[in-house]
Amino acid sequence: MMGRLKSDQGQLFYEFHLGDAVPEDHLVRKIDTALDLSWLRSELAPHYSLMGRPSIDPELMIRMLIVGYVFAIRSERLICREVQVNLAYRWFCKLGIEDAIPDHSAFSRARNERFREGDVFRRVFERVVEACIAAGLVGGEGFAVNASLIAADANKQRSIAGQDWWKDRDPARSSRAVKEYLATLDDTAWGAASDVVPKFVSPSDPAAQWTGAHKGPAFFAYSDNYLIDVKFGVIVDVEASRAIRQAEVGAARTMIERTEERFGLKPERLVGDTAYGAAPMLNWLVEEKGIAPHIPVFDKSKRDDGTFSRSDFRYDPTSDVYHCPGGKRLGTSGTVHEGKTLLYRASKLDCDVCPLKPKCCPKEPSRKIPRDIPEHARDVARSFAGTEGFETSRRERKKIEMRFAHLKLGRLRLRGPQGAQDEFVLAAIAQNLRRLASLVARAPPAQVLCIT
């Protein structure tokens, strides 16, 4: 017989356990097992007054933000609405069925004041990384670095020409995003990364870089920089920067040093693409950090006019000379040009009688080879190319590309360097928690009711 829906909802008393409504295999259960925020209140206590009305629990706001970034709910208004109606989200946020949901404006106040004063998002991220290390998901032997462009909350129609933007303005009369940008002008990941005047600047978010790197229509963007451990693809550090190569390289150095300082992790090898293969970066890895660069060398010395390139000349480090394809020596006087380059010159007498001169230096009396001071680091990087370890690293680099492929960020909602950093760190927290939950955390066994 056909059943009928009860229309009377006036029952006075209910017996309801919120945990019973959340399936044992639901993702929020696994993440809750992996997440520990017991330290949060004591860390934030100095940033709260001892008097006045009690604030919203900071752990509740952090858990709600994690729900948003794990399940791709970007709007804080929408997060509040989803937690209001979704029982699994309520359970994860430790709310009862009758508890009120905070207003969305509370997130903005906490994020811009107490959370940034206490660097809360960074601390949560590091605690999650420590949990991954403790679970054996971080090998520490190989790291990979890369950056991805994320569109900024900036409108091209309201931008101004780069030469019309002036930096010596009064921070007190500027918006929060402009203040943050002015405070970062000396940072290697921001203003100090390049003195090139951008084509366009967004007055509402001047730190966002006008870029056409995607070979399509140009747009304002930030770079989301990841440093991952290649064992299981755990993100060990994250950093926001300008969307230019120099800033991304500077962010990579910052992340490597910070990971060593915070977790005592220094990799034996670093995997990256050609953007990290310039001589200064390779020299820093080889000479200062002792890290093997499994990185293609960024080299513009190859000639396209049919004459011999620098790679056709063999360098002998023992005698500090080059040998040309004709077997002659090119030596240097030791004079450093432009503060970074040595010139190795062949003898004019050798070049005049050489049958290879038309393919070597047809328009010059003799051949000269420039060699930068950090060229040794390039040679070290070249020595890894083609080896079995290098090919393994090339395959492992796909793990960091997958992290960006699974990154649930579209257009940024927050402005300024700190806003971009907050969003990138929260997204990395969510990705690591999902990784930790899928590899380690297991739902507790269901309780069995025994009747005797």
Side-chain angles (χ1 to χ4, degrees), residues 160-165 167 181 194-201 206 208-210 220 242:
I160 61 175
Q163 63 268 20
D164 295 335
W165 167 259
K167 299 177 181 179
Y181 171 67
S194 173
D195 56 2
V196 176
V197 177
K199 186 175 182 180
F200 296 104
V201 172
Q209 182 77 25
W210 180 253
F220 287 107
R242 287 179 66 187

Side-chain angles (χ1 to χ4, degrees), residues 10-38:
Q11 185 174 342
L12 208 58
F13 300 102
Y14 294 88
E15 183 177 353
F16 178 75
H17 298 283
L18 187 56
D20 295 339
V22 183
E24 294 295 333
D25 60 349
H26 197 288
L27 182 58
V28 295
R29 285 193 179 274
K30 298 178 182 179
I31 291 178
D32 184 65
T33 303
L35 182 65
D36 177 21
L37 294 176
S38 59

Side-chain angles (χ1 to χ4, degrees), residues 4 10 27 57 94 140 288 305 337 360 417 441 446:
R4 181 182 296 275
L27 182 58
D57 191 337
K94 301 188 182 302
E288 296 187 32
D305 59 357
H337 299 266
C360 186

Side-chain angles (χ1 to χ4, degrees), residues 15 25 31 38 46 50 134 140 189 202 225 254 257 296 299 302 317 319 345 352 365 381 397 418 421-422 425 438:
E15 183 177 353
D25 60 349
I31 291 178
S38 59
L50 298 177
S202 169
N225 299 271
T254 298
E257 290 181 329
D299 191 353
K302 184 172 180 58
S319 54
R345 301 177 185 272
D352 284 342
R397 193 162 69 88
Q418 191 59 57
Q421 182 74 4
D422 286 350
V425 171
S438 64

Side-chain angles (χ1 to χ4, degrees), residues 346-359:
S347 167
K348 183 177 181 300
L349 295 177
D350 290 335
C351 291
D352 284 342
V353 298
C354 181
L356 297 176
K357 189 176 190 302
K359 290 195 65 177

Side-chain angles (χ1 to χ4, degrees), residues 82-158:
E82 289 297 314
V83 173
Q84 174 75 29
V85 301
N86 190 300
L87 297 181
Y89 296 167
R90 272 187 176 268
W91 176 87
F92 177 78
C93 294
K94 301 188 182 302
L95 291 170
I97 194 68
E98 73 287 348
D99 290 332
I101 306 300
D103 187 77
H104 66 89
S105 61
F107 291 94
S108 178
R109 292 196 302 269
R111 182 179 59 246
N112 293 326
E113 297 171 8
R114 297 182 180 93
F115 285 1
R116 287 185 181 171
E117 291 171 4
D119 205 12
V120 168
F121 297 143
R122 170 65 60 176
R123 290 174 179 266
V124 174
F125 171 78
E126 290 176 354
R127 294 282 182 142
V128 174
V129 173
E130 288 173 351
C132 293
I133 294 172
L137 302 184
V138 177
E141 185 271 332
F143 285 175
V145 64
N146 206 348
S148 180
L149 295 183
I150 306 296
D153 183 21
N155 192 337
K156 165 61 174 68
Q157 303 302 320
R158 298 182 180 179

Side-chain angles (χ1 to χ4, degrees), residues 189 217 332:
T332 179

